[in-house]
């Protein structure tokens, strides 16, 4: 009566769409964490390469030029790690600062720190230009939100508003189900006619389009994860061979050892480009 069955069917479709969306978000977060783990390991290896090269006397000038290029390539990634550690040190509850009420606050709290950092490095979050560790209270929370949002507005980032939106977009299931995000805040219980049922269908379509977009991003992240993971295994072999040359004199090394170092530096440049990669690059 009064399109009640139609209305109920539309709401079921909307709920199904939300579940699809939530699964897409969870898959993206999981893959972002995996990729970030590989990047962190790679960053540590590149730092060891720099120490190794600096310990060897009379290396070619090109080696040091390449080391500078490597550091330039991974600078943004290292900045993100440093600023994340500042936020973690402050133990900021950015979820409670985010707009959207208690549901968003609870969801943001459920977003693990490793997931937050993984997503930030995958999306290429920029520096806020502020030493978060030197701040406290609301100022520190606001700086953290700006960091999540891709940097301060003055630096070309999205600022606090983008940080709020980021937490909303990447949070867990409960936010959407609560009606805070994608299906509107009015609540399904007032949709009692054909017109409101049609609105639910349109919203379900928008949710599914967003889920599909997220799935495409997840595929890109997974592809990069597979690439960097395979490269890391080969790189470790090269590094272990070159490590024995630490503290030597390049000019006195044989051709095989010199070629080994050349290969290590060249591969390090490639590695730094893999670490530099993000979805917004």
């Amino acid at each position: 009566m009064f399109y009640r069955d139609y209305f109920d069917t539309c709401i079921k479709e909307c709920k199904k769409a939300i579940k699809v969306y939530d699964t897409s978000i969870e898959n993206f977060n999981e893959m972002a964490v995996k990729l970030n783990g590989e990047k962190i390991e790679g960053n540590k290896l590149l730092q060891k390469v720099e120490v190794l090269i600096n310990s060897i006397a009379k290396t070619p000038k090109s080696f040091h030029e390449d080391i500078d290029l490597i550091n330039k390539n991974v600078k943004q990634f290292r900045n993100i790690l440093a600023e994340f550690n500042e936020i973690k040190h402050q133990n900021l509850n950015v979820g409670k600062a985010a707009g959207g009420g208690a549901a968003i606050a609870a969801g943001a709290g459920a977003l693990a720190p490793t997931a937050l950092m993984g997503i930030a490095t995958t999306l290429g979050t920029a520096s806020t230009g502020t030493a978060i560790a030197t701040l406290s209270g609301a100022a520190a929370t606001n700086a953290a939100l700006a960091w999540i949002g891709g940097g301060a507005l003055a630096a070309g980032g999205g600022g606090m508003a983008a940080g709020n939106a980021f937490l909303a977009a990447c949070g867990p299931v409960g936010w959407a189900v609560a009606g805070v995000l994608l299906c509107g805040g009015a609540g399904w219980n007032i949709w009692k006619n054909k017109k409101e049922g049609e609105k639910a269908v349109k919203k379900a379509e928008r949710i599914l389009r967003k889920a599909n977009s997220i799935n495409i991003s997840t595929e890109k992240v997974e592809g990069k994860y597979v690439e960097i993971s395979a490269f890391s295994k080969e790189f470790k072999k090269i590094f272990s061979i070159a490590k024995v040359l630490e503290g030597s004199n390049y000019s006195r090394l044989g051709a095989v050892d010199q070629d080994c170092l050349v290969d290590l530096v060249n591969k390090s440049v490639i590695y730094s480009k893999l670490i530099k990669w993000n979805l917004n690059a």
Side-chain angles (χ1 to χ4, degrees):
M1 180 179 243
F2 299 110
Y3 295 101
R4 182 66 194 185
D5 290 341
Y6 172 76
F7 166 74
D8 290 341
T9 299
C10 293
I11 295 307
K12 288 179 181 178
E13 291 303 312
C14 195
K15 288 182 178 180
K16 287 180 181 178
I18 288 173
K19 289 182 178 180
V20 172
Y21 174 86
D22 288 332
T23 298
S24 298
I25 284 292
E26 289 168 2
N27 291 340
F28 178 84
N29 290 356
E30 180 181 353
M31 192 52 61
V33 169
K34 288 183 177 180
L35 176 60
N36 186 62
E38 287 292 336
K39 287 185 173 186
I40 289 175
E41 184 177 12
N43 179 52
K44 291 178 180 177
L45 283 170
L46 291 181
Q47 290 174 326
K48 291 180 179 179
V49 169
E50 182 174 4
V51 172
L52 172 61
I53 296 301
N54 288 337
S55 76
I56 300 174
K58 297 185 178 180
T59 51
K61 180 181 179 181
S62 61
F63 278 19
H64 300 283
E65 292 174 345
D66 284 336
I67 292 296
D68 288 341
L69 176 60
I70 290 166
N71 287 330
K72 181 180 179 181
N73 284 340
V74 299
K75 181 179 179 180
Q76 182 188 31
F77 179 77
R78 289 173 178 172
N79 285 344
I80 292 174
L81 295 185
E83 294 197 346
F84 173 81
N85 286 332
E86 290 184 6
I87 292 174
K88 187 176 180 181
H89 175 73
Q90 289 278 31
N91 194 27
L92 300 175
N93 193 343
V94 291
K96 289 184 178 179
I104 285 185
L111 193 60
T114 52
L116 181 58
M117 181 170 64
I119 296 167
T121 57
T122 300
L123 295 178
T125 295
S127 170
T128 63
T130 302
I132 298 173
T134 65
L135 304 176
S136 61
T141 299
N142 292 344
L145 282 169
W147 175 79
I148 294 168
L153 289 171
M160 291 170 56
N164 281 318
F166 172 81
L167 287 176
C170 294
V173 178
W175 303 2
V177 173
V180 177
L181 290 178
L182 296 170
C183 276
W188 292 323
N189 59 329
I190 65 169
W191 291 349
K192 297 178 180 179
N193 53 40
K194 181 181 178 181
K195 182 178 180 181
E196 295 301 328
E198 290 172 346
K199 288 182 180 180
V201 171
K202 291 181 180 179
K203 289 183 179 183
E205 291 173 350
R206 290 200 297 271
I207 293 169
L208 291 176
R209 285 197 296 271
K210 180 62 177 177
N212 183 63
S213 176
I214 293 170
N215 291 339
I216 292 173
S217 295
T218 301
E219 289 177 3
K220 293 178 181 179
V221 175
E222 183 175 10
K224 189 59 61 174
Y225 166 75
V226 171
E227 181 182 0
I228 195 172
S229 180
F231 189 89
S232 175
K233 293 178 181 178
E234 295 303 315
F235 186 86
K236 288 175 182 176
K237 295 177 182 178
I238 298 171
F239 179 75
S240 64
I241 295 172
K243 186 72 169 63
V244 300
L245 301 175
E246 187 171 9
S248 61
N249 187 314
Y250 185 85
S251 64
R252 297 176 182 175
L253 296 176
V256 173
D257 288 337
Q258 288 185 349
D259 289 343
C260 177
L261 289 173
V262 170
D263 188 36
L264 176 66
V265 172
N266 289 339
K267 290 292 196 305
S268 295
V269 173
I270 297 173
Y271 209 170
S272 69
K273 292 178 180 178
L274 291 173
I275 294 173
K276 178 183 179 181
W277 180 88
N278 63 67
L279 282 172
N280 294 318

